[in-house]
C-alpha cells in the first residue's frame, strides 16, 4: 500500500445554504490553496499521484495548489450533500437548518444519525452507499504506486477517519466539524491497514500573519 494525504478544499462560499451556491472557492479559499502548494514545494513533499473529486471547489483547490502533473478527477471523492440532507431533516422531522456555525455542533450529529438510520426519505444517496464509495476509492488509491495527494471535502475525510479508527457516527460528526480548510490528513500503511499519522495539519497557515486563514467554513 502507498501512503495517502487527504486535503480538504479551500474555503468555499460561506453564505450559501444550498449545494450549488456553496460549490465555489472564496478569494481566501484560493489563497489558502496557493499557500499549501507553496508549502509542499518548499518542503519537497513528493506526491507522484494527484486526485480530486469532481466538485468545482475540489478542482479549483487543486488548480490553485499548482502542483503540476495530471490531476485524476474521481466522483467517488465528492462530498456528501449536507445541505440537501439538512433540508430533508427539516421537512420530514421539523428540525430547522441552523444559521450560525455554533448551531451546527448539535445539528450535524442529528443529520448524520437520521441519515445512517434511514430516517430520511429519498436522500441523495444512502449513508451505506456513501460509506461504500469512500471505501472503494481509498482502497483503489492505496493499491497504486507512490504517495498520493487527494483533494476532497471534510465530510469524506471524517468518513475515512471513521473507517480507519472505528468511530461511531456522533464522533464522525465532531471530527467533520473540526476539519479546517486546506488541512492535511495522512494515512500510512501499518501492517495490512491504513492508519492515520497526521490529522488537521495546516503548517502553511501557522505563521502569525496567516492564522486568520485557519477557517472551518
Amino acid at each position: 500500500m502507498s501512503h495517502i494525504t487527504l486535503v480538504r478544499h479551500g474555503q468555499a462560499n460561506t453564505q450559501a445554504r444550498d449545494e450549488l451556491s456553496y460549490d465555489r472557492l472564496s478569494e481566501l479559499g484560493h489563497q489558502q490553496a496557493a499557500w499549501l502548494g507553496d508549502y509542499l514545494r518548499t518542503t519537497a513533499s513528493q506526491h507522484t499521484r494527484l486526485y480530486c473529486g469532481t466538485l468545482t471547489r475540489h478542482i479549483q483547490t487543486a488548480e490553485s495548489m499548482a502542483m503540476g502533473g495530471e490531476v485524476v478527477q474521481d466522483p467517488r471523492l465528492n462530498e456528501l450533500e449536507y445541505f440537501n440532507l439538512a433540508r430533508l431533516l427539516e421537512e420530514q422531522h421539523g428540525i430547522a437548518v441552523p444559521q450560525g456555525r455554533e448551531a451546527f455542533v448539535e445539528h450535524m450529529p442529528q443529520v448524520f444519525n437520521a441519515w445512517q438510520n434511514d430516517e430520511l426519505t429519498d436522500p441523495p444517496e444512502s449513508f451505506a452507499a456513501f460509506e461504500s464509495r469512500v471505501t472503494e476509492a481509498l482502497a483503489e488509491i492505496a493499491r497504486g504506486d507512490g504517495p498520493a495527494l487527494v483533494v476532497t471535502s471534510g465530510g469524506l475525510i471524517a468518513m475515512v477517519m471513521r473507517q480507519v479508527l472505528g468511530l461511531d457516527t456522533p464522533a464522525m460528526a465532531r471530527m467533520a466539524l473540526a476539519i479546517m480548510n486546506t488541512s492535511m490528513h495522512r494515512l500510512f500503511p501499518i501492517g495490512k491497514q491504513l492508519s492515520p499519522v497526521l490529522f488537521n495539519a495546516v503548517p502553511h497557515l501557522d505563521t502569525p500573519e496567516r492564522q486568520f486563514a485557519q477557517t472551518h467554513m
Side-chain angles (χ1 to χ4, degrees), residues 6-7 19 40 68 78 84 100 102 110 117 120 128 139 156 171 206:
L6 301 166
V7 173
E19 303 295 338
L40 292 172
N78 288 352
N84 287 335
E102 293 306 316
Q110 292 175 315
N117 295 330
L120 300 177
L156 187 140
D206 275 345

Side-chain angles (χ1 to χ4, degrees), residues 74 90 166:
D74 187 338
E90 182 171 22

